[in-house]
Amino acid sequence: MAPKAVAPAVVDEDPQAYEDKNVHAIYDEIASHFSSTRYKPWPIIAAFMHSIATGWIGLDAGTGNGKYLPLPLDRPTDILTIGLDRSINLLRIARNAGDSSATREVVWGDVLGHGWRSGVFDYAISIATIHHLATHERRIQAVKRLLESVSPLHGRVLIYVWAIEQDELSKRQIPTGDGNSDRIGRDVVVPWVLSKKTAAAGKETLEGQVEQPVFNRYYHMFAKGELPGLVHEAAKDLGIQVGQRPMVLSDISTIRRGVEIVQDGWERSNHYVELRCWEISG
């Protein structure tokens, strides 16, 4: 199959209004077709969910069709993951993700919102979501919300975003940018062609042929190092140290909070980071 035509994007209006039009409204339109293409968990994400301790409660920020809500598959009732998304049509699908007889916990909301008590979750994942935010500042804010949502003592976070560096199996060709693109990523629109079956429920052309609408979704394609850079900026804003938990405190009268970048990697055209929070009180 020929690569999809990915085109440069310019965010020239209020970023919230831009995302409403070029992300949220589109996912509500394509929800059924999109969900039919998203069913197999990514190995690193599945391994992360499998490592979560029994009894923990977590957040899937940008859950989509909820394919990660049933994990881990070998002990599906040991942990509880609550799905958050802006698409009401995807949430309707996510409610029964993995098993039509099961009802998942899902909430309509924004990844930039502050609808949770600080530290209420034990873990959080955000898979293929932050790259839909239209400014650098909003992407920092999303990482801050994830760090704020998990326990400062033991909270764990996993974030995935699309990468400029696409592998040989990718259907996307990323436009060549300027000299700074390898450092700051690229704003693009990625077309979604509605399936003939889904489009058949809509209108036909005068010749009786099914018209397949094309929806151009906004993405910020991440450069190498950009995602951990967001973690550093978010942690600085929150007054959190980035690094491993120290073994010895120089001043036991202080309380030190931190976040360790456990993994910083690339997998199948995606950049990801795994984070672990820590706190030491004197």
Side-chain angles (χ1 to χ4, degrees):
M1 181 182 292
K4 292 182 178 180
V6 177
V10 177
V11 181
D12 55 2
E13 59 182 293
D14 174 75
Q16 182 64 70
Y18 184 87
E19 292 163 16
D20 287 344
K21 179 172 58 179
N22 296 284
V23 180
H24 306 311
I26 290 175
Y27 276 105
D28 269 338
E29 287 282 343
I30 69 174
S32 178
H33 182 207
F34 177 82
S35 179
S36 71
T37 68
R38 300 296 191 273
Y39 51 86
K40 186 176 181 180
W42 288 70
I44 290 176
I45 303 169
F48 175 85
M49 298 295 284
H50 187 270
S51 71
I52 297 300
T54 297
W56 277 18
I57 298 175
L59 171 68
D60 183 356
T63 192
N65 70 344
K67 72 175 182 179
Y68 294 110
L69 299 183
L71 299 185
L73 293 177
D74 61 338
R75 48 187 186 92
T77 61
D78 281 6
I79 65 175
L80 173 64
T81 308
I82 298 173
L84 171 77
D85 207 275
R86 271 291 301 270
S87 170
I88 192 67
N89 289 337
L90 281 173
L91 283 179
R92 290 190 177 106
I93 298 170
R95 286 198 68 194
N96 300 112
D99 183 353
S100 60
S101 65
T103 301
R104 309 296 174 190
E105 297 293 338
V106 298
V107 177
W108 184 89
D110 196 305
V111 296
L112 297 179
H114 213 338
W116 318 104
R117 288 183 288 109
S118 294
V120 69
F121 295 110
D122 298 297
Y123 62 95
I125 62 173
S126 184
I127 311 302
T129 297
I130 291 177
H131 56 212
H132 285 309
L133 297 172
T135 67
H136 182 72
E137 292 73 23
R138 289 168 74 81
R139 294 187 283 272
I140 294 174
Q141 186 76 354
V143 176
K144 287 170 62 176
R145 290 292 181 254
L146 290 169
L147 291 174
E148 289 173 323
S149 73
V150 298
S151 166
L153 293 172
H154 60 257
R156 298 179 60 189
V157 178
L158 181 66
I159 306 171
Y160 263 69
V161 293
W162 280 12
I164 289 177
E165 303 87 358
Q166 299 284 293
D167 67 15
E168 67 280 0
L169 298 178
S170 174
K171 301 171 185 175
R172 298 175 290 271
Q173 288 185 337
I174 309 305
T176 301
D178 58 31
N180 293 322
S181 294
D182 290 339
R183 181 173 60 86
I184 62 174
R186 298 173 198 167
D187 292 334
V188 300
V189 290
V190 180
W192 182 278
V193 182
L194 207 61
S195 71
K196 290 183 178 180
K197 181 178 180 181
T198 305
K203 60 182 179 179
E204 297 182 350
T205 66
L206 293 176
E207 292 77 21
Q209 299 296 317
V210 173
E211 182 178 359
Q212 291 181 260
V214 178
F215 298 91
N216 288 303
R217 301 163 294 161
Y218 167 82
Y219 282 81
H220 177 79
M221 308 295 284
F222 275 67
K224 183 178 180 181
E226 190 176 0
L227 183 54
L230 288 185
V231 174
H232 279 265
E233 291 184 79
K236 181 179 179 180
D237 286 352
L238 295 172
I240 298 175
Q241 176 181 336
V242 178
Q244 292 184 339
R245 184 180 186 277
M247 300 300 294
V248 179
L249 284 180
S250 58
D251 183 357
I252 62 173
S253 67
T254 63
I255 297 177
R256 297 179 60 182
R257 286 190 58 192
V259 58
E260 177 186 357
I261 299 178
V262 179
Q263 292 190 79
D264 168 18
W266 178 94
E267 180 193 27
R268 287 290 309 277
S269 305
N270 292 267
H271 289 302
Y272 67 91
V273 290
E274 179 185 347
L275 312 174
R276 188 187 303 272
C277 297
W278 53 264
E279 180 179 70
I280 302 176
S281 57

Coordinates of all heavy atoms in Angstrom, one line a residue, residues 108-167:
W108 N -15.7 11.0 30.5 CA -15.5 12.0 29.5 C -14.7 13.2 30.1 O -15.1 13.7 31.1 CB -16.8 12.6 28.9 CG -16.7 13.5 27.8 CD1 -16.6 13.2 26.5 CD2 -16.6 14.9 27.9 NE1 -16.5 14.4 25.7 CE2 -16.4 15.5 26.6 CE3 -16.6 15.8 28.9 CZ2 -16.3 16.8 26.3 CZ3 -16.5 17.2 28.7 CH2 -16.3 17.7 27.4
G109 N -13.6 13.6 29.4 CA -12.8 14.7 29.9 C -11.6 14.9 29.1 O -11.4 14.3 28.1
D110 N -10.9 15.9 29.5 CA -9.7 16.4 28.7 C -8.4 16.1 29.5 O -8.4 16.2 30.7 CB -9.8 17.9 28.6 CG -8.9 18.5 27.5 OD1 -7.7 18.3 27.6 OD2 -9.4 19.2 26.6
V111 N -7.4 15.7 28.8 CA -6.1 15.3 29.4 C -5.5 16.6 30.1 O -4.5 16.4 30.9 CB -5.1 14.7 28.4 CG1 -5.7 13.4 27.9 CG2 -4.8 15.6 27.3
L112 N -5.9 17.8 29.7 CA -5.4 19.0 30.3 C -6.2 19.4 31.5 O -5.8 20.3 32.2 CB -5.4 20.1 29.3 CG -4.5 19.9 28.1 CD1 -4.6 21.1 27.2 CD2 -3.0 19.7 28.5
G113 N -7.3 18.7 31.8 CA -8.2 19.1 32.9 C -7.6 18.7 34.2 O -6.6 17.9 34.3
H114 N -8.2 19.2 35.3 CA -7.7 18.9 36.7 C -8.8 18.3 37.5 O -9.2 18.7 38.5 CB -7.2 20.2 37.3 CG -6.0 20.0 38.2 ND1 -5.7 18.7 38.8 CD2 -5.1 20.8 38.7 CE1 -4.7 18.8 39.6 NE2 -4.2 20.1 39.5
G115 N -9.4 17.2 36.9 CA -10.6 16.6 37.5 C -10.3 15.5 38.6 O -11.2 15.0 39.2
W116 N -9.0 15.3 38.9 CA -8.6 14.3 39.9 C -7.9 14.9 41.1 O -7.3 15.9 41.0 CB -7.7 13.3 39.3 CG -8.0 12.8 37.9 CD1 -7.4 13.2 36.8 CD2 -9.1 11.9 37.5 NE1 -8.0 12.6 35.7 CE2 -9.0 11.8 36.1 CE3 -10.0 11.2 38.3 CZ2 -9.9 11.0 35.4 CZ3 -10.9 10.4 37.5 CH2 -10.9 10.3 36.2
R117 N -8.1 14.3 42.3 CA -7.3 14.7 43.4 C -5.8 14.4 43.1 O -5.5 13.3 42.6 CB -7.8 14.0 44.7 CG -9.1 14.5 45.2 CD -9.5 13.8 46.5 NE -9.9 12.4 46.3 CZ -9.1 11.3 46.6 NH1 -8.0 11.5 47.2 NH2 -9.6 10.1 46.4
S118 N -4.9 15.2 43.6 CA -3.5 15.0 43.3 C -3.1 13.6 44.0 O -3.5 13.4 45.1 CB -2.7 16.1 43.9 OG -2.9 17.3 43.2
G119 N -2.4 12.8 43.2 CA -1.9 11.6 43.8 C -2.9 10.5 43.9 O -2.6 9.5 44.6
V120 N -4.1 10.6 43.3 CA -5.2 9.6 43.6 C -4.9 8.3 42.9 O -5.4 7.3 43.4 CB -6.5 10.2 43.1 CG1 -6.6 10.4 41.6 CG2 -7.7 9.4 43.7
F121 N -4.1 8.3 41.8 CA -3.9 7.0 41.1 C -2.5 6.5 41.4 O -1.6 7.2 41.8 CB -3.9 7.3 39.6 CG -5.3 7.7 39.1 CD1 -5.6 9.0 38.6 CD2 -6.3 6.8 39.1 CE1 -6.8 9.3 38.2 CE2 -7.6 7.1 38.6 CZ -7.8 8.4 38.2
D122 N -2.4 5.2 41.2 CA -1.1 4.5 41.4 C -0.3 4.5 40.2 O 1.0 4.4 40.2 CB -1.3 3.0 41.9 CG -2.0 2.9 43.2 OD1 -1.5 3.4 44.2 OD2 -3.2 2.4 43.2
Y123 N -0.9 4.6 39.0 CA -0.2 4.6 37.7 C -1.1 5.3 36.7 O -2.3 5.5 36.9 CB 0.1 3.1 37.3 CG -1.2 2.3 37.0 CD1 -1.8 2.2 35.7 CD2 -1.8 1.6 38.1 CE1 -2.9 1.4 35.5 CE2 -2.9 0.9 37.8 CZ -3.5 0.8 36.6 OH -4.6 0.0 36.4
A124 N -0.4 5.7 35.6 CA -1.2 6.3 34.5 C -0.5 6.0 33.2 O 0.8 5.9 33.2 CB -1.2 7.8 34.7
I125 N -1.3 5.8 32.2 CA -0.7 5.7 30.8 C -1.4 6.7 29.9 O -2.5 7.1 30.1 CB -0.9 4.2 30.2 CG1 -2.4 3.9 30.1 CG2 -0.2 3.2 31.1 CD1 -2.7 2.6 29.4
S126 N -0.6 7.2 28.9 CA -1.2 8.1 27.9 C -0.6 7.6 26.6 O 0.6 7.9 26.3 CB -0.8 9.5 28.2 OG -1.4 10.4 27.3
I127 N -1.4 7.0 25.8 CA -0.9 6.3 24.6 C -1.5 7.0 23.4 O -2.7 7.1 23.2 CB -1.3 4.8 24.5 CG1 -1.0 4.1 25.9 CG2 -0.7 4.1 23.4 CD1 0.5 4.2 26.3
A128 N -0.6 7.6 22.5 CA -0.9 8.2 21.3 C -2.0 9.3 21.5 O -3.0 9.4 20.8 CB -1.5 7.2 20.3
T129 N -1.7 10.2 22.5 CA -2.6 11.3 22.8 C -2.0 12.6 22.9 O -2.5 13.6 22.3 CB -3.3 11.0 24.2 OG1 -4.1 9.8 24.1 CG2 -4.2 12.1 24.6
I130 N -0.9 12.8 23.6 CA -0.2 14.0 23.8 C 0.2 14.7 22.4 O 0.2 15.9 22.3 CB 0.9 13.9 24.7 CG1 0.4 13.6 26.2 CG2 1.8 15.2 24.8 CD1 1.5 13.4 27.2
H131 N 0.4 13.8 21.4 CA 0.8 14.4 20.1 C -0.3 15.1 19.4 O -0.1 15.7 18.4 CB 1.4 13.3 19.2 CG 0.5 12.1 19.0 ND1 1.0 10.8 18.8 CD2 -0.8 11.9 18.9 CE1 0.0 10.0 18.6 NE2 -1.1 10.6 18.7
H132 N -1.5 15.0 20.0 CA -2.6 15.8 19.4 C -2.8 17.2 20.0 O -3.7 17.9 19.6 CB -3.9 15.0 19.6 CG -4.1 13.8 18.7 ND1 -4.0 13.9 17.3 CD2 -4.4 12.5 19.0 CE1 -4.2 12.7 16.8 NE2 -4.5 11.8 17.8
L133 N -1.9 17.5 20.9 CA -2.0 18.9 21.5 C -1.2 19.8 20.7 O 0.0 19.5 20.3 CB -1.5 18.8 23.0 CG -2.3 17.9 23.9 CD1 -1.7 17.8 25.2 CD2 -3.7 18.5 24.0
A134 N -1.7 21.0 20.4 CA -1.2 21.8 19.3 C -0.1 22.8 19.7 O 0.4 23.5 18.8 CB -2.4 22.6 18.7
T135 N 0.3 22.9 20.9 CA 1.4 23.8 21.3 C 2.3 23.0 22.3 O 1.9 22.1 23.0 CB 0.9 25.1 22.0 OG1 0.4 24.8 23.2 CG2 -0.1 25.8 21.1
H136 N 3.6 23.5 22.3 CA 4.5 22.9 23.2 C 4.1 23.1 24.7 O 4.2 22.2 25.5 CB 5.9 23.6 23.0 CG 7.0 23.1 23.9 ND1 7.6 21.9 23.7 CD2 7.6 23.7 25.0 CE1 8.6 21.7 24.6 NE2 8.6 22.8 25.4
E137 N 3.5 24.3 25.0 CA 3.1 24.5 26.4 C 1.9 23.6 26.8 O 1.9 23.1 27.9 CB 2.6 26.0 26.5 CG 3.7 27.0 26.4 CD 4.2 27.2 24.9 OE1 3.5 26.8 24.0 OE2 5.4 27.6 24.8
R138 N 1.0 23.3 25.9 CA -0.1 22.3 26.2 C 0.5 20.9 26.4 O -0.1 20.2 27.2 CB -1.1 22.4 25.1 CG -1.9 23.7 25.1 CD -2.7 23.9 23.9 NE -3.9 23.1 23.9 CZ -5.1 23.4 24.5 NH1 -5.2 24.4 25.3 NH2 -6.1 22.6 24.4
R139 N 1.5 20.6 25.7 CA 2.1 19.2 25.8 C 2.8 19.1 27.2 O 2.7 18.1 27.8 CB 3.0 18.9 24.7 CG 2.3 18.8 23.3 CD 3.2 18.4 22.2 NE 4.1 19.4 21.7 CZ 3.8 20.2 20.7 NH1 2.5 20.2 20.2 NH2 4.6 21.1 20.2
I140 N 3.5 20.2 27.6 CA 4.0 20.2 28.9 C 2.9 20.1 30.0 O 3.1 19.3 31.0 CB 4.8 21.5 29.2 CG1 6.0 21.6 28.3 CG2 5.3 21.6 30.7 CD1 6.8 23.0 28.4
Q141 N 1.9 20.8 29.8 CA 0.7 20.8 30.8 C 0.2 19.3 30.9 O -0.2 18.9 32.0 CB -0.4 21.7 30.3 CG -1.5 21.9 31.3 CD -1.1 22.7 32.5 OE1 0.0 23.1 32.7 NE2 -2.1 23.0 33.3
A142 N 0.1 18.6 29.8 CA -0.4 17.2 29.8 C 0.5 16.3 30.6 O 0.0 15.5 31.4 CB -0.6 16.7 28.4
V143 N 1.8 16.5 30.5 CA 2.7 15.7 31.3 C 2.6 16.1 32.8 O 2.7 15.2 33.6 CB 4.2 15.9 30.8 CG1 5.2 15.1 31.7 CG2 4.3 15.4 29.3
K144 N 2.5 17.3 33.1 CA 2.3 17.8 34.4 C 1.0 17.1 35.0 O 1.0 16.7 36.2 CB 2.1 19.3 34.5 CG 3.4 20.0 34.3 CD 3.2 21.5 34.1 CE 2.6 22.2 35.3 NZ 2.5 23.7 35.1
R145 N -0.1 17.1 34.3 CA -1.3 16.5 34.8 C -1.1 15.0 35.1 O -1.6 14.5 36.1 CB -2.4 16.7 33.8 CG -2.9 18.1 33.6 CD -3.6 18.6 34.9 NE -4.1 20.0 34.8 CZ -3.5 21.0 35.4 NH1 -2.4 20.8 36.2 NH2 -4.0 22.2 35.3
L146 N -0.3 14.3 34.3 CA -0.1 12.9 34.5 C 0.8 12.7 35.8 O 0.5 11.9 36.7 CB 0.7 12.3 33.3 CG -0.1 12.1 32.1 CD1 0.8 11.7 30.9 CD2 -1.2 11.0 32.2
L147 N 1.8 13.5 36.0 CA 2.6 13.5 37.2 C 1.8 13.8 38.4 O 2.0 13.2 39.5 CB 3.8 14.4 37.0 CG 4.9 14.0 36.0 CD1 6.0 15.0 35.9 CD2 5.5 12.6 36.4
E148 N 0.9 14.8 38.3 CA 0.1 15.2 39.4 C -0.9 14.1 39.8 O -1.3 14.0 41.0 CB -0.6 16.5 39.1 CG 0.3 17.7 39.1 CD -0.4 19.0 38.6 OE1 -1.3 18.8 37.7 OE2 -0.1 20.0 39.1
S149 N -1.3 13.4 38.8 CA -2.4 12.4 39.1 C -2.0 11.2 39.8 O -2.8 10.5 40.4 CB -3.1 12.0 37.7 OG -2.2 11.1 37.0
V150 N -0.7 10.8 39.8 CA -0.2 9.6 40.4 C 0.5 9.9 41.8 O 0.9 11.0 42.1 CB 0.8 8.8 39.5 CG1 0.1 8.5 38.2 CG2 2.0 9.7 39.2
S151 N 0.6 8.8 42.6 CA 1.1 8.9 43.9 C 2.6 9.4 43.8 O 3.4 8.9 43.1 CB 1.1 7.5 44.6 OG 2.0 7.5 45.7
P152 N 2.9 10.4 44.6 CA 4.3 10.9 44.7 C 5.3 9.8 45.3 O 6.5 9.9 45.1 CB 4.3 12.1 45.5 CG 3.1 12.0 46.4 CD 2.1 11.2 45.6
L153 N 4.7 8.9 46.0 CA 5.6 7.9 46.6 C 6.0 6.7 45.7 O 7.1 6.2 45.7 CB 4.8 7.3 47.8 CG 4.6 8.2 49.0 CD1 3.7 7.5 50.0 CD2 5.9 8.6 49.7
H154 N 5.0 6.3 44.9 CA 5.3 5.1 44.0 C 4.7 5.2 42.6 O 4.7 4.2 41.9 CB 4.8 3.9 44.7 CG 3.3 3.9 44.9 ND1 2.8 4.1 46.2 CD2 2.3 3.7 44.1 CE1 1.4 4.1 46.1 NE2 1.1 3.9 44.8
G155 N 4.1 6.3 42.3 CA 3.4 6.4 41.0 C 4.2 6.1 39.8 O 5.4 6.4 39.7
R156 N 3.6 5.4 38.8 CA 4.3 5.0 37.6 C 3.5 5.6 36.4 O 2.3 5.6 36.4 CB 4.4 3.5 37.5 CG 5.2 2.9 38.7 CD 5.3 1.4 38.5 NE 5.9 1.0 37.3 CZ 6.0 -0.3 36.8 NH1 5.4 -1.2 37.5 NH2 6.5 -0.5 35.7
V157 N 4.2 6.0 35.4 CA 3.6 6.6 34.2 C 4.3 6.1 32.9 O 5.5 5.9 32.9 CB 3.8 8.2 34.2 CG1 3.2 8.8 33.0 CG2 3.1 8.7 35.5
L158 N 3.5 5.8 31.9 CA 4.0 5.4 30.6 C 3.3 6.3 29.5 O 2.1 6.4 29.5 CB 3.7 4.0 30.3 CG 4.2 3.4 29.0 CD1 5.7 3.4 29.0 CD2 3.7 2.0 28.8
I159 N 4.1 6.9 28.7 CA 3.7 7.9 27.7 C 4.2 7.4 26.3 O 5.4 7.1 26.2 CB 4.1 9.3 27.9 CG1 3.7 9.8 29.3 CG2 3.5 10.2 26.9 CD1 4.3 11.1 29.7
Y160 N 3.3 7.3 25.3 CA 3.7 7.0 23.9 C 3.2 8.2 23.0 O 2.1 8.7 23.2 CB 3.0 5.8 23.4 CG 3.8 4.5 23.5 CD1 4.2 4.0 24.8 CD2 4.2 3.8 22.4 CE1 4.9 2.8 24.8 CE2 5.0 2.7 22.5 CZ 5.3 2.2 23.7 OH 6.0 1.0 23.8
V161 N 4.1 8.5 22.0 CA 3.7 9.5 21.0 C 4.3 9.1 19.7 O 5.3 8.4 19.6 CB 4.2 10.9 21.4 CG1 3.6 11.5 22.6 CG2 5.8 10.9 21.6
W162 N 3.7 9.6 18.6 CA 4.2 9.3 17.3 C 5.6 10.0 17.1 O 5.8 11.2 17.5 CB 3.2 9.7 16.2 CG 2.1 8.7 16.0 CD1 1.8 7.7 16.8 CD2 1.2 8.7 14.9 NE1 0.7 7.0 16.3 CE2 0.3 7.6 15.2 CE3 1.0 9.5 13.8 CZ2 -0.7 7.3 14.3 CZ3 -0.1 9.2 13.0 CH2 -0.9 8.1 13.2
A163 N 6.5 9.4 16.4 CA 7.8 9.9 16.1 C 8.0 10.3 14.7 O 7.4 9.8 13.8 CB 8.8 8.8 16.5
I164 N 8.9 11.3 14.5 CA 9.3 11.7 13.2 C 10.0 10.5 12.5 O 9.7 10.2 11.3 CB 10.4 12.8 13.2 CG1 9.7 14.1 13.6 CG2 11.1 13.0 11.9 CD1 10.6 15.3 13.8
E165 N 10.7 9.7 13.3 CA 11.4 8.6 12.8 C 10.5 7.4 12.6 O 10.1 6.7 13.5 CB 12.6 8.1 13.7 CG 13.6 9.3 14.0 CD 13.2 10.2 15.2 OE1 12.1 9.9 15.7 OE2 13.9 11.1 15.5
Q166 N 10.0 7.2 11.3 CA 9.1 6.1 11.0 C 9.9 4.9 10.5 O 10.9 5.0 9.9 CB 8.1 6.6 9.9 CG 7.3 7.8 10.3 CD 6.2 7.4 11.3 OE1 5.2 6.7 10.9 NE2 6.2 7.9 12.5
D167 N 9.4 3.7 10.9 CA 10.0 2.5 10.4 C 9.6 2.1 9.0 O 8.8 2.7 8.4 CB 9.9 1.4 11.5 CG 8.4 0.9 11.5 OD1 7.6 1.2 10.6 OD2 8.1 0.2 12.5

